[in-house]
Amino acid sequence: MLCPLRGEPQGVFRKYGCRAAASYEEVLKDPEVEGILLVTPHSTHDDMIAQAASAGKHVFVEKPLTLTAAGAKKAIADTSKAGVTLLVGHNRRRSGANRKIKEMIDSGALGQLHQLEANLSLGAGLTPRAGWRSDPAECPAGAMTGLGVHMIDNLHYLAGPVKRLFAMSKRIAGKSQLDDVTSIVLEFEGGPLGYIGSTYVIPKICTTTAFGTQLNAWSEEDGARFFIQKPDQMVRQEIPCQAGDSLAEEITEFAGCIRGTAKPETGGPESLEVVAVLEAVVESARTNQAVEISKYR
């Protein structure tokens, strides 16, 4: 591995078996480098993906793909033209409990899907870090950009494309310049309604829930716990479930894509859907109006 040096101690590179590089351009010129892992500020993704594609490098980029649908479309076009993989780090759909919910929806076990709910939140915003992660330009709608996009992807995975949404986003605790809390009500193209919440100032929660006419199903604790409730049950019951290692799985998939033995599960089209919803969230919160996703898709 080759990693651009950004003030990190050499010991970090030795620990992970990386060679230090003086710049991103040096990494792109190295013939031994086949794939790029971008974990940079959101606003840099557009240009860095274009550079990597131009250099013939496969790209794994942390979520969100870009901050705008226009940027996402360009990234898809750039990598497609270059014939390289574009894989985006929406890993949480891969956790064990979320996979089980998807299986039950696809098999018809949930009956008719009516409603979905998801929340990914952390308390790190109570002691915000300096730098781009606390910059509203990099994180519009607060935690929704860095955290909530995972839940957008989860619900898209389970219920398909979003038709329209209404969002509210605001500062309450005011510990940083970011909005503290963002709430979204969604209508899916297939009919169900949904809710997504995300905040940086509450104890960690990572849940995804699907409600159907024959079964309710919950993914909790980052996909490590799975619960169901049938029509004749007054309380839900836990079903044994292993969360798995979703991060390792997506990186293994990326390697498989480079070798031609796999295809990206969360590639350009899936990630464009997330960015389109995120951009609609920002507009809705600003205008206090419902927004059609087709405007951005």
Side-chain angles (χ1 to χ4, degrees):
M1 291 189 292
L2 192 62
C3 183
L5 183 61
R6 290 290 186 270
E8 296 286 347
Q10 289 290 333
V12 172
F13 298 109
R14 287 194 294 270
K15 177 180 179 180
Y16 293 104
C18 299
R19 290 185 287 117
S23 67
Y24 184 51
E25 290 71 24
E26 182 178 332
V27 175
L28 295 180
K29 290 177 181 178
D30 193 310
E32 293 185 357
V33 174
E34 298 176 80
I36 302 293
L37 275 64
L38 292 180
V39 289
T40 58
H42 308 133
S43 64
T44 67
H45 293 176
D46 304 57
D47 289 342
M48 296 184 79
I49 291 171
Q51 288 177 269
S54 181
K57 310 298 186 185
H58 300 271
V59 182
F60 173 93
V61 58
E62 266 301 344
K63 49 49 183 175
L65 170 55
T66 57
L67 289 174
T68 66
K73 292 173 186 176
K74 184 177 184 302
I76 293 169
D78 288 341
T79 51
S80 178
K81 181 179 179 181
V84 297
T85 297
L86 176 62
L87 178 62
V88 184
H90 291 295
N91 64 295
R92 283 186 161 87
R93 66 157 66 190
R94 302 169 182 270
S95 65
N98 288 320
R99 293 297 202 201
K100 285 184 174 293
I101 294 176
K102 177 64 171 174
E103 290 173 7
M104 287 185 163
I105 291 173
D106 289 348
S107 70
L110 261 74
Q112 187 178 30
L113 184 62
H114 266 61
Q115 192 173 39
L116 300 102
E117 297 178 359
N119 194 317
L120 177 55
S121 298
L122 299 172
L126 291 171
T127 54
R129 292 179 288 179
W132 67 270
R133 292 185 185 276
S134 296
D135 181 355
E138 289 285 352
C139 300
M144 193 56 60
T145 301
L147 294 178
V149 287
H150 277 302
M151 301 296 101
I152 295 173
D153 179 66
N154 272 5
L155 296 197
H156 174 243
Y157 171 58
L158 297 177
V162 176
K163 180 180 180 181
R164 61 176 175 166
L165 62 80
F166 180 84
M168 290 186 288
S169 188
K170 63 187 293 187
R171 295 177 69 203
I172 300 176
K175 296 294 184 179
S176 76
Q177 296 302 307
L178 300 183
D179 288 349
D180 294 324
V181 57
T182 304
S183 298
I184 317 169
V185 177
L186 314 101
E187 180 185 9
F188 292 85
E189 296 279 5
L193 301 181
Y195 161 79
I196 298 175
S198 191
T199 169
Y200 272 137
V201 294
I202 67 171
K204 182 180 179 179
I205 182 171
C206 184
T207 65
T208 299
T209 310
F211 300 99
T213 54
Q214 297 300 315
L215 195 76
N216 298 332
W218 289 262
S219 166
E220 297 192 354
E221 297 182 21
D222 234 339
R225 301 185 72 183
F226 179 61
F227 300 83
I228 63 170
Q229 182 182 8
K230 299 177 181 179
D232 61 346
Q233 295 177 318
M234 297 302 294
V235 296
R236 64 185 191 172
Q237 66 180 106
E238 184 168 5
I239 306 297
C241 174
Q242 295 293 324
D245 190 335
S246 60
L247 294 173
E249 183 180 326
E250 67 181 1
I251 295 302
T252 299
E253 183 180 284
F254 183 52
C257 290
I258 293 174
R259 291 289 176 261
T261 60
K263 294 183 179 180
E265 179 174 345
T266 51
E270 296 79 12
S271 302
L272 171 59
E273 286 293 326
V274 174
V275 175
V277 170
L278 176 61
E279 196 166 2
V281 167
V282 174
E283 179 186 344
S284 179
R286 184 185 73 251
T287 63
N288 201 35
Q289 299 291 323
V291 177
E292 299 283 335
I293 308 305
S294 60
K295 175 179 179 179
Y296 293 106
R297 182 183 293 120

Short mmCIF file of all heavy atoms in Angstrom, two decimals, residues 113-139:
data_model
loop_
_atom_site.label_atom_id
_atom_site.label_comp_id
_atom_site.label_asym_id
_atom_site.label_seq_id
_atom_site.Cartn_x
_atom_site.Cartn_y
_atom_site.Cartn_z
N LEU A 113 -45.13 -4.07 2.82
CA LEU A 113 -44.30 -3.12 3.55
C LEU A 113 -45.01 -1.77 3.62
O LEU A 113 -45.42 -1.22 2.60
CB LEU A 113 -42.94 -2.97 2.84
CG LEU A 113 -41.89 -2.10 3.51
CD1 LEU A 113 -41.50 -2.65 4.88
CD2 LEU A 113 -40.66 -1.99 2.61
N HIS A 114 -45.16 -1.24 4.84
CA HIS A 114 -45.91 0.01 5.02
C HIS A 114 -45.05 1.18 5.49
O HIS A 114 -45.28 2.31 5.09
CB HIS A 114 -47.05 -0.22 6.02
CG HIS A 114 -48.34 -0.55 5.37
ND1 HIS A 114 -48.51 -1.67 4.60
CD2 HIS A 114 -49.54 0.08 5.37
CE1 HIS A 114 -49.75 -1.72 4.15
NE2 HIS A 114 -50.40 -0.66 4.60
N GLN A 115 -44.11 0.89 6.37
CA GLN A 115 -43.36 1.99 6.98
C GLN A 115 -41.96 1.52 7.34
O GLN A 115 -41.74 0.34 7.63
CB GLN A 115 -44.08 2.48 8.24
CG GLN A 115 -43.57 3.80 8.79
CD GLN A 115 -44.44 4.31 9.93
OE1 GLN A 115 -44.90 3.54 10.77
NE2 GLN A 115 -44.66 5.62 9.97
N LEU A 116 -41.01 2.48 7.31
CA LEU A 116 -39.64 2.19 7.70
C LEU A 116 -39.14 3.31 8.60
O LEU A 116 -39.57 4.47 8.47
CB LEU A 116 -38.73 2.07 6.47
CG LEU A 116 -39.11 0.98 5.47
CD1 LEU A 116 -39.81 1.61 4.27
CD2 LEU A 116 -37.90 0.18 5.03
N GLU A 117 -38.22 2.96 9.49
CA GLU A 117 -37.61 3.95 10.37
C GLU A 117 -36.12 3.64 10.50
O GLU A 117 -35.72 2.47 10.49
CB GLU A 117 -38.24 3.93 11.76
CG GLU A 117 -39.71 4.31 11.79
CD GLU A 117 -40.30 4.24 13.19
OE1 GLU A 117 -39.57 3.87 14.14
OE2 GLU A 117 -41.50 4.54 13.34
N ALA A 118 -35.30 4.69 10.64
CA ALA A 118 -33.87 4.48 10.82
C ALA A 118 -33.28 5.66 11.58
O ALA A 118 -33.73 6.79 11.43
CB ALA A 118 -33.17 4.32 9.48
N ASN A 119 -32.28 5.36 12.39
CA ASN A 119 -31.60 6.42 13.13
C ASN A 119 -30.14 6.01 13.34
O ASN A 119 -29.87 4.92 13.83
CB ASN A 119 -32.27 6.65 14.49
CG ASN A 119 -31.82 7.95 15.14
OD1 ASN A 119 -30.64 8.29 15.15
ND2 ASN A 119 -32.76 8.67 15.72
N LEU A 120 -29.24 6.87 12.95
CA LEU A 120 -27.82 6.70 13.25
C LEU A 120 -27.34 8.01 13.86
O LEU A 120 -27.32 9.05 13.20
CB LEU A 120 -27.00 6.36 12.00
CG LEU A 120 -25.49 6.23 12.20
CD1 LEU A 120 -25.16 5.21 13.29
CD2 LEU A 120 -24.79 5.85 10.91
N SER A 121 -26.99 7.97 15.13
CA SER A 121 -26.58 9.17 15.85
C SER A 121 -25.44 8.86 16.80
O SER A 121 -25.24 7.71 17.21
CB SER A 121 -27.76 9.73 16.66
OG SER A 121 -28.83 10.11 15.83
N LEU A 122 -24.68 9.90 17.13
CA LEU A 122 -23.55 9.82 18.06
C LEU A 122 -23.53 11.07 18.93
O LEU A 122 -24.15 12.07 18.61
CB LEU A 122 -22.21 9.73 17.30
CG LEU A 122 -21.97 8.55 16.38
CD1 LEU A 122 -20.68 8.78 15.59
CD2 LEU A 122 -21.87 7.25 17.16
N GLY A 123 -22.75 11.00 20.02
CA GLY A 123 -22.63 12.14 20.89
C GLY A 123 -21.37 12.95 20.70
O GLY A 123 -21.08 13.86 21.49
N ALA A 124 -20.62 12.66 19.64
CA ALA A 124 -19.32 13.31 19.45
C ALA A 124 -19.44 14.82 19.26
O ALA A 124 -18.49 15.57 19.53
CB ALA A 124 -18.59 12.71 18.25
N GLY A 125 -20.58 15.30 18.83
CA GLY A 125 -20.76 16.72 18.60
C GLY A 125 -20.80 17.56 19.86
O GLY A 125 -20.75 18.79 19.79
N LEU A 126 -20.90 16.91 21.01
CA LEU A 126 -20.87 17.66 22.27
C LEU A 126 -19.48 18.19 22.56
O LEU A 126 -19.31 19.17 23.29
CB LEU A 126 -21.35 16.77 23.42
CG LEU A 126 -22.85 16.41 23.38
CD1 LEU A 126 -23.16 15.36 24.43
CD2 LEU A 126 -23.71 17.65 23.57
N THR A 127 -18.47 17.53 21.99
CA THR A 127 -17.08 18.01 22.07
C THR A 127 -16.52 17.99 20.65
O THR A 127 -15.71 17.13 20.30
CB THR A 127 -16.23 17.13 23.00
OG1 THR A 127 -16.34 15.76 22.59
CG2 THR A 127 -16.68 17.26 24.44
N PRO A 128 -16.96 18.90 19.81
CA PRO A 128 -16.63 18.86 18.37
C PRO A 128 -15.14 19.00 18.10
O PRO A 128 -14.42 19.70 18.81
CB PRO A 128 -17.40 20.05 17.80
CG PRO A 128 -17.61 20.97 18.95
CD PRO A 128 -17.77 20.07 20.15
N ARG A 129 -14.69 18.29 17.07
CA ARG A 129 -13.32 18.39 16.61
C ARG A 129 -13.15 19.60 15.72
O ARG A 129 -14.08 20.02 15.03
CB ARG A 129 -12.92 17.13 15.83
CG ARG A 129 -12.85 15.88 16.66
CD ARG A 129 -12.49 14.68 15.80
NE ARG A 129 -13.61 14.29 14.95
CZ ARG A 129 -13.54 13.28 14.08
NH1 ARG A 129 -12.41 12.61 13.94
NH2 ARG A 129 -14.59 12.96 13.36
N ALA A 130 -11.96 20.14 15.74
CA ALA A 130 -11.65 21.24 14.81
C ALA A 130 -11.49 20.66 13.41
O ALA A 130 -11.21 19.48 13.23
CB ALA A 130 -10.38 21.95 15.25
N GLY A 131 -11.67 21.51 12.41
CA GLY A 131 -11.43 21.07 11.04
C GLY A 131 -12.70 20.88 10.24
O GLY A 131 -13.79 21.33 10.62
N TRP A 132 -12.57 20.18 9.12
CA TRP A 132 -13.64 20.10 8.14
C TRP A 132 -14.88 19.39 8.63
O TRP A 132 -15.99 19.67 8.17
CB TRP A 132 -13.12 19.46 6.85
CG TRP A 132 -12.74 18.02 6.96
CD1 TRP A 132 -11.52 17.52 7.28
CD2 TRP A 132 -13.58 16.88 6.71
NE1 TRP A 132 -11.53 16.14 7.26
CE2 TRP A 132 -12.79 15.73 6.90
CE3 TRP A 132 -14.92 16.73 6.33
CZ2 TRP A 132 -13.29 14.44 6.76
CZ3 TRP A 132 -15.43 15.44 6.18
CH2 TRP A 132 -14.61 14.32 6.39
N ARG A 133 -14.74 18.47 9.58
CA ARG A 133 -15.90 17.74 10.07
C ARG A 133 -16.88 18.63 10.85
O ARG A 133 -18.02 18.23 11.11
CB ARG A 133 -15.47 16.55 10.93
CG ARG A 133 -14.77 15.46 10.14
CD ARG A 133 -14.46 14.26 10.99
NE ARG A 133 -13.68 13.26 10.28
CZ ARG A 133 -14.20 12.33 9.48
NH1 ARG A 133 -15.51 12.29 9.29
NH2 ARG A 133 -13.43 11.46 8.87
N SER A 134 -16.43 19.80 11.23
CA SER A 134 -17.30 20.75 11.91
C SER A 134 -17.67 21.94 11.03
O SER A 134 -18.18 22.95 11.51
CB SER A 134 -16.63 21.25 13.20
OG SER A 134 -16.45 20.17 14.11
N ASP A 135 -17.42 21.81 9.74
CA ASP A 135 -17.69 22.87 8.78
C ASP A 135 -19.03 22.62 8.10
O ASP A 135 -19.21 21.61 7.42
CB ASP A 135 -16.56 22.90 7.74
CG ASP A 135 -16.73 24.00 6.71
OD1 ASP A 135 -17.75 24.70 6.73
OD2 ASP A 135 -15.82 24.16 5.87
N PRO A 136 -20.01 23.53 8.25
CA PRO A 136 -21.32 23.32 7.61
C PRO A 136 -21.24 23.16 6.10
O PRO A 136 -22.10 22.49 5.51
CB PRO A 136 -22.08 24.60 7.99
CG PRO A 136 -21.43 25.08 9.24
CD PRO A 136 -19.97 24.74 9.08
N ALA A 137 -20.22 23.74 5.47
CA ALA A 137 -20.08 23.57 4.02
C ALA A 137 -19.73 22.14 3.66
O ALA A 137 -20.09 21.64 2.58
CB ALA A 137 -19.00 24.52 3.49
N GLU A 138 -19.02 21.44 4.54
CA GLU A 138 -18.66 20.04 4.32
C GLU A 138 -19.74 19.10 4.84
O GLU A 138 -19.85 17.96 4.37
CB GLU A 138 -17.33 19.71 5.03
CG GLU A 138 -16.12 20.33 4.40
CD GLU A 138 -15.70 19.64 3.10
OE1 GLU A 138 -16.28 18.58 2.77
OE2 GLU A 138 -14.82 20.17 2.42
N CYS A 139 -20.52 19.56 5.78
CA CYS A 139 -21.53 18.71 6.42
C CYS A 139 -22.88 19.41 6.45
O CYS A 139 -23.40 19.74 7.54
CB CYS A 139 -21.09 18.33 7.83
SG CYS A 139 -19.54 17.43 7.91
#
